[in-house]
Amino acid sequence: MQGRWLEGRHALITGGGTGIGAACAAHLHAAGAKVSLLGRRLEPLEKVAAITEGKAISCDVTDRAAIEAAFNEARAAHGEIDYLIVNAGIADSAPFHKTAREDWDRVLAVNLTGAFDCAQAAIGDLLTGEDRRLIFIASVAGLRGTPYAAHYAASKHGLVGLMRSLAKEYARKSLTVNAICPGFVDTPMTDQSVARIQEKTGRSEEEGRAAIEALNANGRLVHPDAIATQVLTLCLPQSRDTNGAAIVIDGGSDA
Ligand code: NAD
């Protein structure tokens, strides 16, 4: 995408040190935005910050007080938040009858309650400026039943519900709220899924990866840049009428 449409605007990205979050940082920076990158580990955040002139801030999104402090640190560096990209997330898989209550709590705490807390920490900024954006990175698992990942799917369905509700609640404001729902993307999260398949089935890494690729209709993993390009598009002023959308990027489906 050509042009510095987002010149001087401030994008805060959670989980910004790896995968989709890092790709979003690169695309938004290339379009002129100042980026703040939040995550648990400072090292990957600082690597992305070095190539995006960004601000790396250590923050666990399951800690509401830490979120508030981190968002204030981001504001001190780059000003009011124009775009909040709620991307931090964790995946897990297990048959439902073997899913421990602790696993349910852990997945919901990061993927859903963390998103709620981040949205609340930024909402004052998002409702006061022009052309502000709240974008959730959900999943196709937020729109469809997902065997062996009921807790992950429930967290992502919750995220889509949160997005749709906020989009309607703030429809008359200069804020849009949308979600992107990827299929399997080529990121460290998918590497972990491949490793889980290897561990549980004894299959090789190549076989595990092929099994995951086959779950996307086009038989290949989505490139993280495809998600980042959509995030950038949503941030453009021209996207002001896209509100309440759950945008599927999964290589072909009827979702
Ligand atoms: P990833 O593992 O590279 O990124 C997830 C990021 O979230 C990491 O940087 C991680 O450090 C951060 N994170 C996790 N827990 C956190 C916490 N408590 N506090 C702060 N940061 C935390 O994988 P990704 O694929 O780039 O995932 C990004 C988002 O995309 C996630 O929400 C994921 O559910 C979603 N998603 C991924 C896929 C996929 O196939 N990879 C598919 C659909 C949706």
Side-chain angles (χ1 to χ4, degrees):
M1 177 111 22
Q2 298 296 312
R4 292 176 66 85
W5 287 97
L6 313 183
E7 191 72 57
R9 311 271 280 171
H10 179 192
L12 190 154
I13 305 163
T14 67
T18 59
I20 292 169
C24 288
H27 280 67
L28 297 176
H29 167 67
K34 300 174 283 187
V35 295
S36 295
L37 309 160
L38 271 60
R40 285 165 307 176
R41 291 168 303 132
L42 213 43
E43 198 192 325
L45 294 170
E46 278 173 346
K47 278 192 186 148
V48 178
I51 51 175
T52 58
E53 300 171 86
K55 171 85 179 159
I57 305 169
S58 160
C59 173
D60 185 328
V61 299
T62 62
D63 180 343
R64 189 174 168 110
I67 290 170
E68 281 164 11
F71 278 43
N72 282 336
E73 202 177 328
R75 283 187 194 96
H78 293 321
E80 280 187 10
I81 298 158
D82 295 290
Y83 316 125
L84 174 61
I85 321 301
V86 178
N87 166 73
I90 54 172
D92 193 23
S93 62
F96 178 66
H97 66 280
K98 289 190 178 166
T99 302
R101 171 63 195 273
E102 295 74 43
D103 295 332
W104 168 271
D105 287 344
R106 191 169 45 85
V107 169
L108 270 285
V110 178
N111 294 359
L112 188 54
T113 309
F116 168 86
D117 284 337
C118 287
Q120 280 204 332
I123 198 69
D125 290 2
L126 297 178
L127 291 176
T128 49
E130 282 304 302
D131 271 324
R132 303 231 159 152
R133 305 283 184 256
L134 174 51
I135 301 170
F136 296 105
I137 306 300
S139 169
V140 289
L143 302 170
R144 307 172 189 154
T146 310
Y148 307 108
H151 46 343
Y152 181 74
S155 73
K156 295 295 189 178
H157 272 73
L159 200 52
V160 171
L162 176 65
M163 176 280 290
R164 288 185 172 138
S165 303
L166 299 185
K168 283 199 173 169
E169 190 165 333
Y170 299 127
R172 301 284 173 135
K173 306 281 185 187
S174 187
L175 167 68
T176 66
V177 188
N178 293 285
I180 298 175
C181 297
F184 282 96
V185 187
D186 194 0
T187 70
M189 183 176 279
T190 295
D191 295 342
Q192 286 160 20
S193 300
V194 171
R196 273 198 299 273
I197 290 176
Q198 287 179 262
E199 190 189 306
K200 285 180 184 162
T201 66
R203 284 192 260 181
S204 69
E205 189 192 334
E206 203 180 11
E207 288 167 336
R209 191 161 292 274
I212 297 241
E213 286 167 355
L215 294 171
N216 284 350
N218 61 1
R220 61 168 185 258
L221 297 180
V222 174
H223 196 289
D225 286 348
I227 313 300
T229 300
Q230 184 62 63
V231 167
L232 168 56
T233 301
L234 286 172
C235 290
L236 296 174
Q238 297 89 327
S239 293
R240 65 173 198 180
D241 301 315
T242 304
N243 190 34
I247 299 165
V248 174
I249 303 180
D250 69 347
S253 73
D254 54 7

